[in-house]
């Protein structure tokens, strides 16, 4: 029985694919990788006889036709996607025609660029008493966002915002954050090509100057924007500690010291 696997390749560094994804690549008969964002190096575990094709110039219809044709002739077919396939990956548009053709489908999650960007910059997207929420979104450009999801509205929560597909719309991002009450000195992080060996760039700025800094560094694509009150916490002198490791806090795996001493 043949199966088409949508595999998250991770954000760029080929070592950031999951073990499951790598094992599937090592057994695949045909791999279609999204060459605009996935490094060819991600296919380095493929067998010599495996057909490896870049989908860069292909339309969605051509991609689907390719996957169906390969699935009709082979057992293991892989669509290798950037980051996690469930985020801005046109996953369902590809799955529906496969379902219609009664082709089995599987999805292997991947490390999203949002997580890789935070990791690169040694940032935590959540911080006790600062923010406990992460919003993964994009600013409205040519692709509309549904009502209630404008950045100006979402930013009112003052939670961590990870903005995909928005680097060319940085001016709009700034305006929306201002509308939502973010201060000029709010920290903003931009990571270009997070985890790509020798290409990654980290730009730290504020609402007031991040656009200038990105312009100077000529960043105009493949970048993650993170706006968060938790940014820079590594250098804070006072930090609320997580309850998880607090000696007075019991949980499933550890009884609190106070409970023990009073019982
Ligand atoms: N599924 C992907 C997102 C695809 S949309 C994921 O989970 O990461 C493409 C957008 O993702 C880009 O416009 C950019 O905002 C972001 N992106 C992808 N790879 C990136 C990387 N290595 N570094 C920074 N941003 C990246």
């Amino acid at each position: 029985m043949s199966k088409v696997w949508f595999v998250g390749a991770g954000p760029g560094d080929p070592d950031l694919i999951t073990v499951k994804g790598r094992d599937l690549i090592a057994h695949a008969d045909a791999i279609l990788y999204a060459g605009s964002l996935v490094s060819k190096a991600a296919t380095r575990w493929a067998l010599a006889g495996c057909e490896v094709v870049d989908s860069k110039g292909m339309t969605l219809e051509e991609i689907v036709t390719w996957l169906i044709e390969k699935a009709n002739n082979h057992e293991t077919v892989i669509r290798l996607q950037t980051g996690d396939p469930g985020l801005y990956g046109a996953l369902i548009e590809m799955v529906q025609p496969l379902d219609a053709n009664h082709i089995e489908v599987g999805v292997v999650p991947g490390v999203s660029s949002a997580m890789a960007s935070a990791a690169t910059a040694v940032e935590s997207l959540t911080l006790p008493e600062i923010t406990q929420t992460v919003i993964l979104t994009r600013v409205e450009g040519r692709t509309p966002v549904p009502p209630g999801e404008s950045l100006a509205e979402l930013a009112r929560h003052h939670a961590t915002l990870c903005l995909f597909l928005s680097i060319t719309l940085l001016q709009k991002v700034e305006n929306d954050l201002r509308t939502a009450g973010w201060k000029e000195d709010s920290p903003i992080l931009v990571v270009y090509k997070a985890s790509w060996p020798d290409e990654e760039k980290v730009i730290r700025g504020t609402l007031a100057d991040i656009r200038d800094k990105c312009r100077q560094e000529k960043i105009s694509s493949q970048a993650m924007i993170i706006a968060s009150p938790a940014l820079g916490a590594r250098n804070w002198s006072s930090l609320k500690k997580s309850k998880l490791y607090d000696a007075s806090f019991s949980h499933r795996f550890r009884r609190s010291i106070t409970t023990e001493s009073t019982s």
Side-chain angles (χ1 to χ4, degrees), residues 88 137-154 163-166 168-173 176:
Y88 309 103
T137 188
R138 66 183 298 168
V139 76
E140 184 164 59
R142 277 187 303 171
T143 307
V145 302
E149 291 187 20
S150 76
L151 184 58
E153 281 171 89
L154 295 177
L163 303 173
F164 293 75
L165 300 157
S166 301
T168 57
L169 301 164
L170 206 43
Q171 168 95 68
K172 179 159 172 41
V173 171
D176 286 354

Side-chain angles (χ1 to χ4, degrees), residues 32-261:
L32 188 62
Y33 71 102
S36 52
L37 282 166
V38 174
S39 162
K40 177 123 203 271
T43 65
R44 66 186 175 190
W45 298 281
L47 295 168
C50 175
E51 193 177 339
V52 179
V53 171
D54 182 354
S55 67
K56 194 154 53 197
M58 292 164 99
T59 62
L60 187 78
E61 209 186 314
E62 286 164 347
I63 289 173
V64 166
T65 305
W66 193 96
L67 294 174
I68 292 172
E69 190 206 310
K70 299 302 161 195
N72 286 336
N73 295 296
H74 298 292
E75 200 153 300
T76 305
V77 179
I78 293 183
R79 167 64 178 158
L80 197 56
Q81 312 236 135
T82 173
D84 182 84
L87 288 168
Y88 309 103
L91 175 66
I92 303 304
E93 291 157 68
M94 290 183 271
V95 166
Q96 278 191 349
L98 296 174
D99 284 344
N101 282 272
H102 310 289
I103 295 166
E104 210 185 324
V105 164
V107 179
V108 179
V111 175
S112 173
S113 56
M115 279 64 216
S117 297
T120 284
V122 194
E123 294 287 357
S124 179
L125 299 177
T126 61
L127 211 56
E129 297 184 31
I130 302 295
T131 181
Q132 294 289 287
T133 303
V134 183
I135 297 174
L136 306 179
T137 188
R138 66 183 298 168
V139 76
E140 184 164 59
R142 277 187 303 171
T143 307
V145 302
E149 291 187 20
S150 76
L151 184 58
E153 281 171 89
L154 295 177
R156 285 211 173 89
H157 294 283
H158 290 266
T160 295
L161 298 163
C162 296
L163 303 173
F164 293 75
L165 300 157
S166 301
I167 194 66
T168 57
L169 301 164
L170 206 43
Q171 168 95 68
K172 179 159 172 41
V173 171
E174 289 177 5
N175 292 344
D176 286 354
L177 293 183
R178 288 191 179 103
T179 306
W182 289 55
K183 303 255 163 43
E184 290 304 307
D185 62 356
S186 303
I188 307 220
L189 171 73
V190 170
V191 183
Y192 169 73
K193 286 202 154 185
S195 88
W196 283 70
D198 306 324
E199 290 184 74
E200 171 185 271
K201 278 187 192 172
V202 176
I203 293 128
R204 289 180 184 273
T206 61
L207 186 49
D209 65 16
I210 192 70
R211 200 150 44 93
D212 267 354
K213 289 188 170 178
C214 285
R215 203 179 297 133
Q216 277 161 24
E217 293 287 338
K218 300 191 171 57
I219 309 291
S220 59
S221 66
Q222 280 174 267
M224 173 63 48
I225 306 166
I226 300 183
S228 168
L231 289 176
R234 190 182 190 181
N235 301 316
W236 295 356
S237 50
S238 67
L239 194 65
K240 296 277 183 220
K241 299 273 165 43
S242 165
K243 292 228 185 311
L244 187 61
Y245 301 111
D246 189 313
S248 66
F249 189 70
S250 301
H251 58 70
R252 204 148 59 89
F253 303 106
R254 177 168 55 72
R255 275 204 298 153
S256 82
I257 291 167
T258 21
T259 316
E260 278 168 4
S261 57

Side-chain angles (χ1 to χ4, degrees), residues 5-50:
W5 288 93
F6 292 85
V7 175
D13 178 350
D15 284 347
L16 285 178
I17 195 168
T18 62
V19 173
K20 179 159 184 166
R22 190 185 63 190
D23 286 351
L24 278 166
I25 287 179
H27 290 100
D29 302 295
I31 301 173
L32 188 62
Y33 71 102
S36 52
L37 282 166
V38 174
S39 162
K40 177 123 203 271
T43 65
R44 66 186 175 190
W45 298 281
L47 295 168
C50 175

